[in-house]
């Protein structure tokens, strides 16, 4: 087992009606003024935003609001939020929504308390020294940003989607009421399930061996999400299934499933980020579209690991041929994606990608040939090109 730090400072308040506690939780943070940050309308439609305002009013909390975050959240709104927070002396950010809203809030939080252009952090030019404290009311189980140290922002200039991670941005609290996710369109529910699984799988596919407990947690988490995702396709208001998936979403990305590993591969995420930047696809759907192509491309570098995944997660009957078992696991996973109406190719996302676009994706993903990605097998620009091409 590798050495590791496990740091999860987020207070989780989980269950029915927990959004009513938001005023109290914000009050505990001893802040003077809050930015209520939200998305493109779902929280207004559902009445959640009014409930949040009511709870803040009752707790005597002053606030300003900024809505309009879109999936693959934009840098321009982040700049707007930074200006607003500075003008209004905001000292706490309350993100009400999904990963996009939380990530936008984290970026604003960096921008308010650090000098210079916040995009520098996402470009890897500088590191942040602080972030405004953040609280979240989660409305979709997916990105895991409610407990993670990451945020992912899209810069409209060049449509570059880039992530930045630092411990400063781990939220102070996360309110998670599974009922709030019942208004999600089926596609978003399914896309979220893929993302949750991929956060576990990115860590699971690594170059380590001796992680019995972490492997067990990951394998069970994956089976739990698959089982409950299928339930939700038939019965979207099933509270227990919503709850299992919501909790899995946080545990998949708060570091738990990476304890004792080398950190994992993360290629599929890097490959997807470029698809998100170029085509604005739902993150989980984009992951499902490239994962099979990635897995087939790198499988031979660690066939035993892929075979373990096949047997323990996809419940494949092993044969003597490790590669055959490994491949069956990949095929089974793709069948699961189809069972929850997720794509297993770029074409299945409704995109007929051109040769030039594939080249551009590989250019951007390799940071213009300046980096490789992945640890199962280090991938250069040519490898990325081939994986996108095979995922066509
Ligand atoms: O904007 P609204 O109107 O709220 O609509 C959203 C959005 O259209 C809708 N939605 C959310 N909750 C809803 C709802 N609709 C009805 N009822 C509800 N209860 O769902 C759509 C997707 O929302 P979004 O926040 O984009 O989803 P998700 O949580 O999947 O976040 C995706 C973003 O997170 C990034 C992704 O790259 C992507 O940009 N990621 C962030 C990570 C992190 N910070 O740790 C890690 C991930 O790997 C991921 O990269
Ligand atoms: Zn993800």
């Amino acid at each position: 087992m590798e050495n590791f730090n496990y740091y999860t400072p987020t207070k989780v308040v989980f269950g029915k009606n927990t959004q009513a506690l938001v005023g109290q939780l914000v009050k505990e943070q001893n802040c003077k003024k809050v930015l209520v940050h939200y998305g493109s309308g779902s929280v207004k439609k559902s009445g959640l935003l009014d409930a949040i305002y009511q709870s803040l009013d009752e707790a005597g909390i002053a606030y300003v609001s900024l809505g309009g975050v879109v999936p693959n959240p934009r840098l321009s709104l982040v700049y707007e939020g930074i200006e607003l927070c500075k003008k209004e002396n905001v000292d706490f950010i309350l993100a009400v929504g999904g990963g996009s809203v939380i990530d936008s809030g984290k970026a604003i939080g960096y921008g308010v308390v650090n000098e210079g252009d916040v995009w520098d952090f996402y470009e890897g030019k500088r590191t942040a020294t602080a972030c405004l404290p953040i609280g979240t009311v989660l409305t979709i189980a997916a990105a895991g940003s409610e407990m993670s140290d990451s945020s992912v922002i899209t810069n409209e200039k060049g449509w570059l989607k880039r992530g930045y991670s630092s411990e400063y941005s781990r939220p102070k609290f996360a309110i998670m009421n599974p009922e709030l996710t019942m208004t999600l369109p089926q596609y978003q529910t399914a896309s979220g399930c893929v993302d949750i699984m991929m956060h576990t799988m990115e860590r699971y596919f690594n170059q380590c061996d001796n992680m019995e407990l972490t492997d067990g947690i990951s394998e069970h988490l994956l089976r739990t999400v698959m089982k409950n995702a299928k339930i939700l396709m038939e019965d979207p208001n099933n509270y227990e299934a919503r709850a299992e998936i919501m909790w899995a979403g946080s545990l998949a990305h708060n570091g738990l499933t990476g304890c004792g590993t080398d950190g994992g591969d993360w290629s599929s995420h890097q490959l997807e980020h470029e698809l998100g930047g170029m085509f604005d696809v739902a993150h989980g759907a984009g992951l499902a579209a490239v994962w099979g192509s990635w897995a087939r491309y790198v499988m031979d570098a660690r066939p035993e690991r892929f075979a373990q995944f096949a047997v323990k997660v996809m419940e494949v009957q092993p044969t003597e041929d490790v590669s055959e078992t490994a491949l069956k696991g990949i095929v089974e996973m793709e069948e699961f994606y189809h069972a929850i109406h997720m794509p297993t190719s770029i074409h299945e996302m409704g995109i007929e990608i051109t040769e030039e676009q594939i080249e551009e994706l590989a250019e951007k993903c390799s940071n213009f040939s300046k980096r490789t990605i992945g640890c199962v097998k280090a991938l250069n620009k040519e490898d990325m090109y081939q994986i996108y091409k095979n995922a066509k």
Side-chain angles (χ1 to χ4, degrees):
M1 197 184 282
E2 303 288 319
N3 293 358
F4 64 89
N5 291 339
Y6 180 54
Y7 178 63
T8 52
T10 307
K11 176 173 179 174
V12 173
V13 180
F14 192 99
K16 293 178 183 173
N17 300 321
T18 43
Q19 67 273 20
L21 302 172
V22 68
Q24 202 50 43
L25 285 160
V26 172
K27 202 169 187 176
E28 286 170 16
Q29 297 296 324
N30 290 321
C31 53
K32 294 197 184 66
K33 200 164 195 181
V34 175
L35 174 73
V36 179
H37 200 33
Y38 59 92
S40 305
S42 76
V43 295
K44 279 191 179 164
K45 204 167 150 201
S46 67
L48 176 62
L49 197 60
D50 286 338
I52 299 292
Y53 290 152
Q54 189 186 335
S55 181
L56 292 175
D57 288 338
E58 282 167 7
I61 310 280
Y63 54 85
V64 288
S65 299
L66 180 64
V69 180
V70 293
N72 300 312
R74 310 290 199 258
L75 184 61
S76 55
L77 192 74
V78 169
Y79 288 145
E80 202 181 310
I82 294 168
E83 286 312 308
L84 179 65
C85 287
K86 285 183 175 168
K87 187 171 133 237
E88 296 282 342
N89 290 319
V90 163
D91 58 357
F92 189 85
I93 294 173
L94 181 65
V96 184
S100 295
V101 174
I102 301 171
D103 286 3
S104 181
K106 288 177 176 179
I108 292 170
Y110 286 128
V112 173
V113 294
N114 292 276
E115 293 293 316
D117 187 352
V118 71
W119 184 246
D120 288 352
F121 305 133
Y122 294 83
E123 287 219 296
K125 287 186 184 162
R126 298 188 290 139
T127 53
T129 54
C131 185
L132 276 187
I134 293 166
T136 70
V137 181
L138 189 64
T139 63
I140 170 171
S145 189
E146 68 279 3
M147 286 185 89
S148 86
D149 65 353
S150 317
S151 65
V152 188
I153 299 295
T154 297
N155 187 343
E156 297 96 320
K157 274 194 201 142
W159 294 103
L160 294 169
K161 186 174 173 182
R162 295 284 178 261
Y164 179 61
S165 302
S166 91
E167 295 297 352
Y168 301 118
S169 73
R170 289 210 196 248
K172 301 293 173 198
F173 65 78
I175 293 176
M176 288 188 239
N177 175 358
E179 288 176 321
L180 297 179
T181 67
M182 289 178 184
T183 51
L184 279 165
Q186 189 187 59
Y187 190 78
Q188 288 295 341
T189 296
S191 176
C193 290
V194 173
D195 194 21
I196 293 166
M197 292 173 67
M198 282 301 307
H199 293 156
T200 312
M201 287 151 66
E202 297 277 26
R203 293 172 168 94
Y204 187 88
F205 290 105
N206 54 45
Q207 286 290 355
C208 310
D209 293 312
N210 184 16
M211 310 155 303
E212 195 178 322
L213 180 57
T214 297
D215 279 358
I217 292 170
S218 302
E219 289 155 359
H220 194 81
L221 190 152
L222 289 166
R223 290 196 305 269
T224 303
V225 175
M226 284 193 286
K227 177 182 152 193
N228 288 288
K230 284 189 193 155
I231 292 173
L232 290 183
M233 292 304 107
E234 303 298 320
D235 183 11
N237 291 338
N238 187 311
Y239 180 84
E240 294 306 323
R242 290 275 177 199
E244 295 290 350
I245 286 173
M246 197 169 213
W247 186 220
S250 300
L251 295 186
H253 204 35
N254 75 355
L256 180 67
T257 59
C259 290
T261 76
D262 56 12
D265 187 85
W266 293 100
S267 297
S268 302
H269 265 74
Q270 300 303 325
L271 293 161
E272 190 288 327
H273 281 176
E274 302 311 332
L275 284 175
M278 189 181 283
F279 299 109
D280 217 9
V281 297
H283 172 61
L287 289 168
V290 294
W291 183 79
S293 173
W294 166 83
R296 284 183 181 81
Y297 195 82
V298 305
M299 188 188 91
D300 290 340
R302 287 221 68 196
E304 315 77 25
R305 192 76 181 150
F306 277 89
Q308 180 180 334
F309 173 81
V311 174
K312 296 272 181 64
V313 180
M314 304 314 297
E315 296 172 339
V316 165
Q317 283 300 322
T319 63
E320 298 219 330
D321 184 340
V322 175
S323 293
E324 186 183 41
T325 306
L327 189 57
K328 273 191 191 156
I330 296 169
V331 171
E332 289 282 330
M333 179 51 82
E334 289 183 323
E335 279 179 17
F336 165 74
Y337 288 154
H338 279 154
I340 61 166
H341 316 295
M342 281 285 107
T344 59
S345 68
I346 297 170
H347 165 77
E348 285 178 12
M349 287 194 291
I351 298 165
E352 299 311 328
I353 196 164
T354 65
E355 180 65 22
E356 293 71 38
Q357 286 171 327
I358 293 175
E359 282 169 14
E360 186 182 335
L361 287 171
E363 274 286 340
K364 285 179 169 172
C365 193
S366 66
N367 203 6
F368 309 96
S369 299
K370 289 203 283 283
R371 70 161 185 175
T372 60
I373 57 169
C375 76
V376 170
K377 185 174 178 178
L379 304 171
N380 61 25
K381 190 175 88 179
E382 286 67 39
D383 298 316
M384 295 169 198
Y385 169 86
Q386 203 52 54
I387 291 171
Y388 283 126
K389 188 144 179 123
N390 296 347
K392 197 172 159 185

